[in-house]
Amino acid sequence: MVELEIDGKKVEVPAGSMVIQAAQKVDTYIPHFCYHKKLSIAANCRMCLVDVEKVPKAVPACATPVAAGMIVRTRSDKAVKAQQSVMEFLLINHPLDCPICDQGGECQLQDLAVGYGKSSSRYSEEKRVVFHKNVGPLISMEEMTRCIHCTRCVRFGQEVAGVMELGMLGRGEHSEITSFVGNSVDSELSGNMIDLCPVGALTSKPFRYSARTWELSRRKSVSPHDGTGANVIVQVKNNRVMRVLPLENEAINECWISDKDRFSYEALNSAERLTQPMLKQGNEWREVDWQTALEYVANGLGNIKSEHGAASIAALASPHSTVEELYLLKQLAAGFGTPNVDFRLRQTDFSAPAGATPWLGLPIANLSTVDAALVIGSFLRRDHALFAARLRQAAKGGAKITLLNASGDDSLIPTARRVVVAPSGWVTELAGIAAAVAEAKGVAAPAAFADAKASDEGRAAATSLVAGEQRVVLLGNAAVQHPEFARIHAAAQFIADTTGATLGFLTEAGNTVGAHLVGALPGDNGLNAAQAFADPRKAYVLMNVEAEFDTAHPQQALAALNRAEMVISLSAFKHGAEYADVMLPIAPFTETSGTFVNAEGTVQSFNGVVRPLGDTRPAWKVLRVLGNLLGLPGFEFDTSEQVRDAALGKLDIASKLSNVTTVAPSLGNAEKGGAAPGSFERLADVPIYHADALVRRAQSLQLTHAAKVAVRASLPGSLFERLGLDHGDAVRIRQGELSVTLPAVLDNNLPANVVRVPAATSASAQLGGMFGELVVEKA
């Protein structure tokens, strides 16, 4: 530790700290623009100049290391004059457009100009002008004349997002920040550049000119989109969500959020919102009041139960639903007598023994400090943008990261090894890694893996896991959705146990862990989600489920729903009109109170930030009233907090989570399967901006590059060449009896026997299961 004095206050900080960090420790503010605690030091704005005793000139506090006995003055004449001079230089070319600037009221330059600027300028020449740029649908660079070249956006891209999409051209007064020629900014974390910009140069394109910052109310909430459970500030005007910003929580999302978290709010104000209960009568939809709709539902379910038995009813929910909603749906099903409840809509292999709660296995923050990681079946950047950022930081610290998937997609972790094999080869590849681990540790490999041989990349992965101290083996969404999930889990279990690594799951949705904790799972002899569609039921209760997008086999799900006598859809959107009989408008996360449990098992409750739109009601209230109408016990709740306490109050969550690494499913035989000659294996990732109902309706997200490529078929180079295709040519994709025509693109990241057709899109809804054989021909 080093002791120094700042403005008369003694402070101790670690050796190597900068003066600005020491000042923060004693609550002394030093003005700055380019410095940010999460980014490298650039020292190019010079606003943080301070007076250090025995140093002739003022020095930048952000780039001056502390020294023992150092005496720093931040408000001496020398420091103040230096700061005022820098401010004068910064304002020389700055446009005087504060009254109409969309950053007004939250502009760092505006604030500091008041505190450190002069009342008039000595500069009377013409100001420079920098032309605007178009970098995509999310970030506006319309007013780049305001830019002060702090380079925060450039450093964020390089250091946190992992891709340098913005850079600086020119020198002197010709310097300007721009993207590479013709390129848009496509990082899944790009919106954080807007927050980092200390002036109005980078602004939110969807929010631009829609409200002034002082008109907005600010309310805390939790993002429902992925297992991170990012903390957010939702900004509201006139009962309308106008903007979403990050709420700093170092343990979970640091000070960042993904673009999915930030811009999906557009869907909340979508024209597709369902705002009134609706009944289908004679193939026509009509709006009704809640009493009529719920009585219709209660009578319909009662009739089906009496005619066909309670087991003819299935209740299925999305893991983006809250703890309270999932708990009451399970209670409703149990009270009605049906064991057919599930939320694992995209899972196909349920043979792993039940009982364990899949979770991350360690605190989210620890991902930044691991020594070695094996990530199985995850499109890391797109599935878990903030987890990817954490692993990127770990890699910078020397961590050995290995990614096993059916695509060599760039994770933007430059040092990562990629093991790229078709989905049918994942078990074999893991068997090889398990055998290499067993050999390195001097233990016997399981009989099923005894003859397995590791690839060079697999052996390197095994070596890094054996050598590390903080090691993780992580199962991604595609691993859980894989038709051989139980064997993948078993192999990962053996690798983790043998190396002393932590086995964890990169959970799919905002409340996957919570859904497990409240038991939103099949009861005794109950059907899981796949069985509930494969063996059609007479009635379905769907909560936040859009069957053609959210299920493992969309055509099978649609066929089952179309055959059912009654389908009840609880949704925030007008969806399912073709197969539903009743549509009940339920509130999205911004209009209800509730609880999510994120991947690390943290329970996070939140309140609604706006009133429900139209006649929308929180789903937990709808289920409570339905329980009362059906005369079921255990539905006497007045608040969501009472429901949460009933759901989680008596649970020992720590013990529920700790047992994930004690379950070892049967290994089976690690024989390599694959597609038949002439056909290809399907790789069906769930695209980042199609993963749930909200992002699918966020207009700006749907204009991004990531959303556009999701509606194309990606072909390996050999197939692309054999079919004689040009970029964008149409191909017919056949999966069994089903087919769809899509534009084709070349993807050299794919193995020669794999074709990528993303799931959760209107096009893929015309096909079968997420894994399987495809036949591809030129249309």
Side-chain angles (χ1 to χ4, degrees):
M1 298 294 283
V2 174
E3 186 180 274
L4 67 156
E5 182 183 302
I6 299 178
D7 290 346
K9 301 174 188 172
K10 298 280 189 187
V11 60
E12 277 193 3
V13 291
S17 299
M18 299 298 157
V19 168
I20 197 167
Q21 294 164 330
Q24 288 171 346
K25 200 166 179 183
V26 289
D27 296 327
T28 297
Y29 179 73
I30 298 175
H32 59 274
F33 292 113
C34 68
Y35 172 78
H36 190 278
K37 64 183 178 182
K38 293 289 182 181
L39 304 177
S40 62
I41 292 166
N44 54 8
C45 77
R46 317 308 279 187
M47 192 65 216
C48 64
L49 294 174
V50 294
D51 178 10
V52 176
E53 194 170 83
K54 299 181 182 175
V55 176
K57 292 183 178 179
V59 295
C62 71
T64 303
V66 297
M70 177 185 274
I71 297 175
V72 180
R73 299 182 184 89
T74 68
R75 302 299 299 151
S76 67
D77 283 349
K78 185 198 288 190
V80 170
K81 283 179 180 175
Q83 292 162 358
Q84 287 179 339
S85 297
V86 169
M87 179 57 71
E88 186 174 14
F89 276 115
L90 287 174
L91 294 176
I92 279 175
N93 277 309
H94 199 78
L96 301 177
D97 61 351
C98 290
I100 57 108
C101 174
D102 42 312
Q103 189 90 339
E106 50 187 7
C107 171
Q108 212 174 330
L109 181 66
Q110 190 179 49
D111 294 341
L112 294 184
V114 172
Y116 299 89
K118 296 182 178 178
S119 57
S120 60
S121 173
R122 292 177 283 173
Y123 188 81
S124 57
E125 286 80 0
E126 289 182 358
K127 292 177 180 281
R128 76 171 196 153
V129 173
V130 180
F131 289 106
H132 62 84
K133 288 97 178 164
N134 182 9
V135 292
L138 304 180
I139 298 177
S140 171
M141 296 180 77
E142 289 293 314
E143 310 290 349
M144 288 307 292
T145 304
R146 298 171 185 160
C147 178
I148 61 169
H149 307 137
C150 70
T151 68
R152 279 183 176 184
C153 54
V154 177
R155 285 176 285 144
F156 172 82
Q158 278 183 297
E159 298 164 18
V160 180
V163 56
M164 187 176 172
E165 294 181 294
L166 295 178
M168 187 180 285
L169 292 179
R171 300 187 65 180
E173 73 162 4
H174 301 294
S175 301
E176 57 181 281
I177 300 286
T178 187
S179 63
F180 291 96
V181 178
N183 284 9
S184 54
V185 174
D186 297 316
S187 164
E188 61 284 349
L189 297 171
S190 67
N192 294 291
M193 296 178 185
I194 299 167
D195 299 335
L196 288 171
C197 184
V199 295
L202 304 183
T203 52
S204 166
K205 198 171 269 189
F207 173 72
R208 185 173 165 82
Y209 292 135
S210 61
R212 288 296 200 176
T213 181
W214 54 83
E215 299 174 317
L216 301 172
S217 304
R218 292 160 176 78
R219 286 141 195 185
K220 298 177 184 178
S221 193
V222 179
S223 171
H225 298 296
D226 61 34
T228 311
N231 291 201
V232 295
I233 295 285
V234 182
Q235 299 191 334
V236 174
K237 177 185 176 184
N238 297 335
N239 201 52
R240 183 183 173 97
V241 174
M242 304 300 291
R243 185 165 61 165
V244 174
L245 298 176
L247 173 62
E248 185 170 349
N249 185 332
E250 196 62 30
I252 294 176
N253 55 298
E254 301 177 89
C255 52
W256 318 122
I257 54 174
S258 69
D259 289 353
K260 183 160 63 169
D261 301 327
R262 184 183 299 269
F263 295 108
S264 64
Y265 73 86
E266 286 186 299
L268 301 169
N269 308 315
S270 160
E272 289 185 53
R273 281 293 303 271
L274 179 65
T275 58
Q276 187 78 20
M278 299 184 78
L279 294 182
K280 185 191 284 183
Q281 295 186 332
N283 282 330
E284 288 194 7
W285 285 98
R286 69 182 187 90
E287 294 183 350
V288 296
D289 58 66
W290 272 103
Q291 186 73 19
T292 303
L294 292 177
E295 285 178 357
Y296 181 87
V297 169
N299 293 333
L301 290 176
N303 292 338
I304 288 170
K305 179 182 178 180
S306 62
E307 289 178 26
H308 305 287
S312 66
I313 301 169
L316 302 173
S318 161
H320 297 91
S321 308
T322 67
V323 160
E324 293 80 358
E325 293 162 0
L326 290 162
Y327 172 77
L328 287 177
L329 184 69
K330 174 71 174 180
Q331 294 302 105
L332 187 75
F336 216 64
T338 178
N340 307 324
V341 182
D342 209 354
F343 69 91
R344 299 164 298 174
L345 302 173
R346 293 194 178 108
Q347 192 168 327
T348 52
D349 179 10
F350 299 87
S351 61
T357 298
W359 70 296
L360 189 60
L362 73 169
I364 291 171
N366 287 14
L367 290 175
S368 303
T369 58
V370 297
D371 302 324
L374 171 61
V375 184
I376 303 161
S378 175
F379 299 88
L380 200 53
R381 282 178 58 198
R382 304 304 193 185
D383 292 348
H384 301 94
L386 294 173
F387 289 172
R390 294 270 193 185
L391 289 172
R392 205 168 286 130
Q393 296 307 311
K396 285 184 179 179
K400 303 288 191 292
I401 313 289
T402 305
L403 308 173
L404 190 160
N405 206 340
S407 167
D409 279 10
D410 191 356
S411 61
L412 303 180
I413 303 174
T415 58
R417 295 188 198 89
R418 292 170 183 81
V419 183
V420 182
V421 289
S424 64
W426 290 5
V427 173
T428 303
E429 195 65 43
L430 286 170
I433 296 173
V437 163
E439 181 185 331
K441 296 294 283 187
V443 300
F449 296 166
D451 299 327
K453 295 283 184 274
S455 63
D456 291 343
E457 297 91 344
R459 189 166 291 278
T463 302
S464 65
L465 285 171
V466 169
E469 291 183 8
Q470 258 194 291
R471 307 166 287 258
V472 289
V473 177
L474 300 171
L475 292 167
N477 296 350
V480 176
Q481 294 154 2
H482 196 283
E484 293 187 290
F485 163 57
R487 289 164 65 193
I488 290 170
H489 183 189
Q493 184 91 64
F494 175 80
I495 294 166
D497 290 346
T498 307
T499 59
T502 298
L503 177 66
F505 288 77
L506 300 168
T507 56
E508 179 180 19
N511 201 31
T512 302
V513 175
H516 277 280
L517 289 176
V518 301
L521 298 161
D524 293 340
N525 301 315
L527 303 183
N528 57 49
Q531 292 167 334
F533 289 127
D535 182 8
R537 304 289 92 191
K538 295 295 182 183
Y540 291 90
V541 180
L542 306 179
M543 184 167 70
N544 291 317
V545 175
E546 298 183 349
E548 57 269 57
F549 303 134
D550 295 334
T551 56
H553 197 310
Q555 281 299 307
Q556 187 181 72
L558 289 174
L561 293 171
N562 283 318
R563 286 176 56 187
E565 291 182 16
M566 187 175 199
V567 177
I568 300 140
S569 174
L570 289 81
S571 174
F573 300 99
K574 296 172 184 172
H575 186 88
E578 306 79 18
Y579 51 76
D581 298 283
V582 190
M583 291 195 290
L584 303 178
I586 59 171
F589 78 106
T590 50
E591 296 171 20
T592 182
S593 54
T595 302
F596 293 134
V597 184
N598 71 357
E600 69 174 12
T602 298
V603 177
Q604 300 188 101
S605 293
F606 56 91
N607 293 315
V609 300
V610 291
R611 294 187 304 278
L613 192 64
D615 221 10
T616 298
R617 295 288 181 269
W620 71 265
K621 289 188 176 181
V622 175
L623 293 169
R624 182 200 65 190
V625 174
L626 195 52
N628 293 335
L629 281 174
L630 290 166
L632 304 179
F635 282 82
E636 295 76 33
F637 300 108
D638 295 322
T639 65
S640 64
E641 289 78 11
Q642 291 175 351
V643 186
R644 179 196 63 204
D645 293 344
L648 300 177
K650 296 177 183 175
L651 277 184
D652 183 353
I653 293 176
S655 66
K656 275 269 190 184
L657 297 180
S658 65
N659 69 357
V660 67
T661 54
T662 65
V663 176
S666 168
L667 295 172
N669 295 312
E671 295 175 3
K672 192 163 185 174
S679 61
F680 296 84
E681 289 189 45
R682 180 180 178 187
L683 175 62
D685 59 310
V686 179
I688 183 172
Y689 301 134
H690 291 79
D692 63 67
L694 286 175
V695 293
R696 286 194 280 265
R697 292 170 174 83
Q699 292 178 344
S700 296
L701 293 179
Q702 292 308 312
L703 295 173
T704 61
H705 177 71
K708 290 175 181 175
V709 299
V711 291
R712 302 173 188 169
S714 301
L715 276 54
S718 55
L719 176 61
F720 201 82
E721 190 176 320
R722 179 159 61 80
L723 294 177
L725 298 171
D726 289 325
H727 183 89
D729 282 356
V731 292
R732 183 175 294 105
I733 309 282
R734 287 193 287 117
Q735 189 173 12
E737 299 298 315
L738 304 167
S739 69
V740 67
T741 301
L742 293 171
V745 293
L746 173 64
D747 188 347
N748 289 317
N749 291 319
L750 294 171
N753 59 337
V754 171
V755 169
R756 185 173 185 167
V757 182
T761 68
S762 298
S764 69
Q766 300 172 51
L767 294 175
M770 292 173 65
F771 294 83
E773 292 185 17
L774 301 177
V775 175
V776 184
E777 52 201 15
K778 191 170 183 178

